[in-house]
Amino acid sequence: MNNEQLTIKRDWKAYYNAVANRPPRKTILTALDAFQKPGIALDLGCGDGRDTVEILRQNWQVLAIDKEPEAIARLQTRPNINSLQLTTQTISFEELQLPKSVDLINASFSLPFCSPEVFPTLWNQIYNSLITGGRFCGHLFGERDSWRNNKLINTFTLQQVTTLLKPYAIELLEEEEHPGTTPLGEDRYWHIFHIVARKI
Ligand SMILES: C[S@@+](CC[C@H](N)C(=O)[O-])C[C@H]1O[C@@H](n2cnc3c(N)ncnc32)[C@H](O)[C@@H]1O
């Protein structure tokens, strides 16, 4: 077992530098387009706010959550954001208690890093936090992803993803799979599920 299988020590600061100024992801844009009016959103594992800034720009109230103080600091110092609509919380998924009556929960490339023991609880919390008609959008890693053997990373088969999404109407479920690199230039095999789902 190599080190990557024992621990997931990502250099998130280097990651934030590498993805700075990238546009919001298709999943959050698709989910936002599906709403008639703005509401209350959570951004789980918000990073430096790549998606949060777009949710704010569309006049939503956002609670942005990340375990890295650096992420929250970068988000708070972004130019031209409506900080009156933004609340932040520096906390890990493992300790998080989600609020109720939320319209939209975004988790872009962050849930794979929730500890696998806690993931089922967090997934249930996401469902319980959303209002009926509210949406989850974000990404999960697939069973053929490079990090599938890392005991600290969540990966799923397509069947497991569809089971997770049973209490939702699936509005977008795209599977992406190919060799590539991380934003930090590391070679890896990507197997990603892109998800937008409405709570029914
Ligand atoms: C790949 S980055 C994605 C950031 C952002 N959502 C984006 O799309 O650019 C993953 C983020 O999840 C956060 N994260 C990883 N594990 C976490 C955990 N256990 N609890 C809370 N946040 C976590 C990291 O700090 C990082 O900011």
Side-chain angles (χ1 to χ4, degrees):
M1 187 177 284
N2 62 30
N3 280 345
E4 184 129 274
Q5 288 171 295
L6 290 167
T7 181
I8 181 76
K9 275 204 170 25
R10 304 297 299 155
D11 182 350
W12 292 121
K13 187 172 177 179
Y15 174 86
Y16 305 140
N17 284 334
V19 300
N21 303 318
R22 288 202 191 173
R25 298 178 186 280
K26 174 180 170 183
T27 38
I28 186 63
L29 292 174
T30 305
L32 287 168
D33 276 355
F35 285 94
Q36 312 257 320
K37 59 178 170 55
I40 296 171
L42 307 182
D43 194 359
L44 304 182
C46 60
D48 73 340
R50 176 172 176 174
D51 292 343
T52 312
V53 292
E54 178 63 19
I55 312 171
L56 288 168
R57 197 185 68 76
Q58 297 202 24
N59 285 323
W60 285 65
Q61 279 183 48
V62 186
L63 169 59
I65 296 166
D66 202 288
K67 72 173 174 55
E68 294 291 325
E70 173 82 17
I72 300 297
R74 285 180 182 234
L75 167 59
Q76 287 171 330
T77 54
R78 280 212 183 224
N80 306 322
I81 56 166
N82 183 354
S83 19
L84 294 177
Q85 300 268 78
L86 174 66
T87 313
T88 58
Q89 202 178 351
T90 309
I91 192 167
S92 73
F93 297 144
E94 290 74 15
E95 298 164 296
L96 186 58
Q97 292 298 318
L98 294 182
K100 297 279 185 253
S101 304
V102 168
D103 301 285
L104 171 64
I105 299 183
N106 180 55
S108 280
F109 288 88
S110 56
L111 294 184
F113 303 102
C114 173
S115 80
E117 297 77 45
V118 172
F119 179 85
T121 307
L122 180 60
W123 188 254
N124 281 337
Q125 278 205 67
I126 289 171
Y127 178 80
N128 290 329
S129 173
L130 285 169
I131 60 165
T132 302
R135 288 182 173 83
F136 166 81
C137 60
H139 308 87
L140 296 171
F141 285 165
E143 63 185 318
R144 290 179 292 282
D145 193 89
S146 279
W147 291 338
R148 65 188 177 275
N149 291 327
N150 188 312
K151 297 282 179 284
L152 301 179
I153 296 259
N154 295 290
T155 58
F156 299 95
T157 63
L158 175 59
Q159 193 177 352
Q160 286 170 325
V161 172
T162 52
T163 301
L164 287 170
L165 294 174
K166 269 242 161 71
Y168 295 84
I170 297 173
E171 296 182 331
L172 177 88
L173 178 56
E174 286 178 3
E175 194 172 1
E176 178 186 346
E177 187 172 356
H178 54 83
T181 53
T182 69
L184 299 182
E186 306 146 307
D187 287 336
R188 81 189 296 288
Y189 190 82
W190 290 103
H191 186 193
I192 308 161
F193 295 105
H194 302 256
I195 299 164
V196 178
R198 190 181 73 256
K199 178 172 170 177
I200 46 181

